Amino acid sequence: MKRACLFTLLLVCPLLSFAQVQPDDERLLRALEEQGIICKGLSYEEKQEALRIYLHRKATMKDKKQKDNDTTGQPSNLGDTKKTCISPE
């Protein structure tokens, strides 16, 4: 009986990690605005689009960095990207 309970517990516990809450977009947007990554004064829809652009750029840069590291063995120089805030306009 104890083995069955232990097995059930071990089976259920990893599944609980999949039931976590999705990230809070509002907090993320606020933090990105404070850092100057997303422009201030945008409407809610514009902020959502700017967040989508930011996440797409971040994923693209990560993929590019990984490819550069795989082919050259040296990290790429990603610091030369422009430092302006993101606005969907």
Side-chain angles (χ1 to χ4, degrees):
M1 181 68 173
K2 288 184 180 182
R3 284 186 174 182
C5 290
L6 181 61
F7 177 75
T8 305
L9 182 63
L10 291 175
L11 182 64
V12 172
C13 286
L15 296 177
L16 293 176
S17 65
F18 293 116
Q20 293 183 5
V21 178
Q22 294 294 323
D24 185 7
D25 285 353
E26 295 298 322
R27 288 178 41 200
L28 178 59
L29 285 169
R30 200 170 34 243
L32 291 173
E33 276 184 320
E34 289 172 3
Q35 295 174 17
I37 296 172
I38 292 179
C39 297
K40 294 184 180 184
L42 300 176
S43 69
Y44 180 77
E45 291 82 18
E46 291 172 329
K47 287 180 184 180
Q48 291 294 323
E49 180 63 18
L51 177 60
R52 188 196 62 76
I53 292 168
Y54 167 74
L55 293 174
H56 176 74
R57 285 182 187 173
K58 188 172 181 178
T60 303
M61 287 175 55
K62 184 178 180 181
D63 289 343
K64 181 179 179 346
K65 184 177 178 181
Q66 182 65 35
K67 285 179 184 177
D68 288 348
N69 284 342
D70 289 345
T71 58
T72 64
Q74 298 175 1
S76 64
N77 186 8
L78 296 175
D80 57 348
T81 59
K82 58 183 180 178
K83 298 284 184 182
T84 59
C85 65
I86 300 172
S87 176
E89 298 174 348

